[in-house]
mmCIF file of all heavy atoms in Angstrom:
data_model
loop_
_atom_site.group_PDB
_atom_site.id
_atom_site.type_symbol
_atom_site.label_atom_id
_atom_site.label_comp_id
_atom_site.label_asym_id
_atom_site.label_seq_id
_atom_site.Cartn_x
_atom_site.Cartn_y
_atom_site.Cartn_z
ATOM 1 N N HIS A 62 98.802 88.920 99.188
ATOM 2 C CA HIS A 62 97.388 88.834 98.779
ATOM 3 C C HIS A 62 96.606 90.043 99.283
ATOM 4 O O HIS A 62 96.277 90.121 100.459
ATOM 5 C CB HIS A 62 96.765 87.555 99.341
ATOM 6 C CG HIS A 62 95.404 87.265 98.777
ATOM 7 N ND1 HIS A 62 94.905 85.984 98.693
ATOM 8 C CD2 HIS A 62 94.429 88.061 98.288
ATOM 9 C CE1 HIS A 62 93.690 86.022 98.159
ATOM 10 N NE2 HIS A 62 93.378 87.277 97.919
ATOM 11 N N ASP A 154 91.661 85.402 91.437
ATOM 12 C CA ASP A 154 91.178 85.435 92.826
ATOM 13 C C ASP A 154 89.821 86.121 92.951
ATOM 14 O O ASP A 154 89.571 87.152 92.336
ATOM 15 C CB ASP A 154 92.174 86.130 93.744
ATOM 16 C CG ASP A 154 91.682 86.096 95.182
ATOM 17 O OD1 ASP A 154 91.404 84.989 95.665
ATOM 18 O OD2 ASP A 154 91.534 87.155 95.793
ATOM 19 N N GLY A 155 89.011 85.526 93.808
ATOM 20 C CA GLY A 155 87.599 85.881 93.897
ATOM 21 C C GLY A 155 86.803 84.746 93.280
ATOM 22 O O GLY A 155 85.715 84.409 93.728
ATOM 23 N N HIS A 181 92.291 80.682 94.064
ATOM 24 C CA HIS A 181 91.203 80.816 95.049
ATOM 25 C C HIS A 181 90.434 79.505 94.946
ATOM 26 O O HIS A 181 89.608 79.321 94.059
ATOM 27 C CB HIS A 181 90.313 82.014 94.697
ATOM 28 C CG HIS A 181 89.129 82.162 95.599
ATOM 29 N ND1 HIS A 181 88.829 83.338 96.266
ATOM 30 C CD2 HIS A 181 88.153 81.292 95.962
ATOM 31 C CE1 HIS A 181 87.742 83.174 96.998
ATOM 32 N NE2 HIS A 181 87.300 81.940 96.814
ATOM 33 N N HIS A 234 94.574 81.888 100.790
ATOM 34 C CA HIS A 234 93.714 81.794 101.993
ATOM 35 C C HIS A 234 93.200 80.389 102.331
ATOM 36 O O HIS A 234 92.008 80.130 102.281
ATOM 37 C CB HIS A 234 92.554 82.785 101.921
ATOM 38 C CG HIS A 234 91.904 82.926 100.568
ATOM 39 N ND1 HIS A 234 91.521 81.864 99.798
ATOM 40 C CD2 HIS A 234 91.562 84.043 99.873
ATOM 41 C CE1 HIS A 234 90.967 82.321 98.674
ATOM 42 N NE2 HIS A 234 90.988 83.634 98.699
ATOM 43 N N ASN A 280 85.105 85.050 101.926
ATOM 44 C CA ASN A 280 85.314 83.784 101.216
ATOM 45 C C ASN A 280 86.790 83.466 101.143
ATOM 46 O O ASN A 280 87.557 84.354 100.788
ATOM 47 C CB ASN A 280 84.787 83.869 99.776
ATOM 48 C CG ASN A 280 83.289 83.877 99.727
ATOM 49 O OD1 ASN A 280 82.622 83.412 100.647
ATOM 50 N ND2 ASN A 280 82.741 84.427 98.650
ATOM 51 N N ASP A 307 94.654 89.185 102.617
ATOM 52 C CA ASP A 307 93.442 89.253 101.781
ATOM 53 C C ASP A 307 92.673 90.546 102.096
ATOM 54 O O ASP A 307 91.443 90.557 102.155
ATOM 55 C CB ASP A 307 92.548 88.020 101.979
ATOM 56 C CG ASP A 307 91.475 87.911 100.892
ATOM 57 O OD1 ASP A 307 91.507 88.697 99.927
ATOM 58 O OD2 ASP A 307 90.597 87.034 101.029
HETATM 59 ZN ZN1 ZN B 501 90.203 84.831 97.245
#
Side-chain angles (χ1 to χ4, degrees):
H62 190 153
D154 183 55
H181 176 127
H234 41 48
N280 288 337
D307 194 7

